[in-house]
Amino acid sequence: MYNFIIVGGGIVGLSTAYAIKKRNPASAILILEKESHPAAHQTGRNSGVIHSGIYYKPGSKKAELATRGSVRMIQFCKDHGIKYEQCGKVIVATNKDELPYLDILQERGIQNGLNVRKITEEELAEREPHVTGKAALYVPEAGIVSYKNVAEVLVDRLKDYGVEIGFNQYVKGIKCGETSCEVRTQNCRFKGRYIINCGGLQSDRIANETGANVQHRIVPFRGEYYEIVDERRHLVNNLIYPVPNPSFPFLGVHFTRMIDGSIHAGPNAVLSLKREGYSKYSFDFVDAWSALTYPGFWKLAGKHWREGFRELHRSLSKSQFVKSLQKLIPEIREEDLVPSNSGVRAQALNRDGSLVDDFLIKYHGRTIHVCNAPSPAATASLEIGDQIADYVMKHQSTGVAV
Ligand SMILES: Cc1cc2nc3c(=O)[nH]c(=O)nc-3n(C[C@H](O)[C@H](O)[C@H](O)COP(=O)(O)OP(=O)(O)OC[C@H]3O[C@@H](n4cnc5c(N)ncnc54)[C@H](O)[C@@H]3O)c2cc1C
């Protein structure tokens, strides 16, 4: 019998195991991951940015856990010899309508404790000589790392601490009783006192398997990237972001220097008809049915169909994608970009059509569910793990179900 069975070997599941083990080295922990390696989905397919926390409403979990989490992530990298860089980023308003929102972002950043500041045209030209804009913020706290690398190091540490990790273990069913739960995979059964669901794109289904009956649904939004060819890498020094559309939780296509030196442009945010579908034409009947029969989806589509079509058009047309990028760097051309990998965001959607804005963790009997952990959850992962660990330690010590 394990004390904790964690479903999902992404950065949130691994960080949760790490946090529990730090608090109670004697806990018997099993992580079940359906793929053959860690970080196979969101964790290994993201922009690799250590977010500062500037975008998030002061007081929200995202603001709190990203600001603390970025500091923790950097310390973790230092402690474990993981390559990272705190290179800072610029957020650029490219037309005058964006100026008021740039002010709001600056205010949010200050409230979230960041050293964000407006920079002059000269400083912008010094930091990013190929960018044009009306005004810009500089956020020194932002950085870059490979979260796949972080996940791999976490796996090594967890194994050192005696955590068992079962790869190729697809969790198919979970049944909970008074004192424990039974988890069924394609070929094994395991017993645990508590189950922690860190299943990312599948987390709503896993939650409902346990009877938690969550009302939201995961709607997958694919983020597609291009990579800048080597000869044009000089167009970008570090991280260059536009002012995001305040009605969406996505940041708008931007330029990212990855920790391996490559420069990525993107990601967009296109509805995906397959939860783990990484090509433009990926389709899965069950996933598509799940999204299209959910009332929240149609309410969201009713409100934002124009943006949805715009995103789809930009996904199918490279020239449209480049047009968006040219707002930031007018010199960028279609021939400078080659298609790169993509990732799919697990975004929770409410029945009323509203996107769940903040991180969401639900506690239900002997089960805990990370229901909404999109960006910046990789940055915040060590803090998310701590929150869950604190909760379960408290409840475990009183001997009652969580
Ligand atoms: C395009 C994109 C860009 C992003 N950029 C950033 C960024 O720059 N900075 C940042 O902080 N965040 C970023 N994010 C968000 C970040 O990647 C995620 O918030 C984070 O990785 C979530 O981690 P996770 O462990 O919850 O999910 P995942 O990494 O998706 O892990 C979930 C795991 O659960 C496993 N699983 C699912 N179902 C089962 C089952 N039934 N049985 C067994 N295993 C199962 C999956 O195989 C998977 O490995 C980005 C995300 C995307 C998609």
Side-chain angles (χ1 to χ4, degrees), residues 7-14 32-35 37-51 147 169-172 198-203 206 221-225 241 267-268 276 342-346 359 370 373-380:
V7 184
I11 202 161
V12 172
L14 298 170
L32 295 172
E33 166 55 55
K34 67 182 165 61
E35 308 294 346
H37 57 280
H41 294 291
Q42 296 176 93
T43 301
R45 292 175 160 273
N46 59 36
S47 301
V49 174
I50 303 175
H51 284 296
Y147 288 110
Q169 291 290 339
Y170 197 131
V171 171
K172 301 258 180 196
C198 303
L201 285 153
Q202 311 293 343
S203 56
I206 297 167
F221 285 95
R222 191 169 45 253
E224 297 155 338
Y225 296 87
Y241 282 68
N268 55 6
E276 293 164 2
S342 65
V344 181
R345 305 168 181 88
F359 294 147
V370 178
S375 187
T379 303

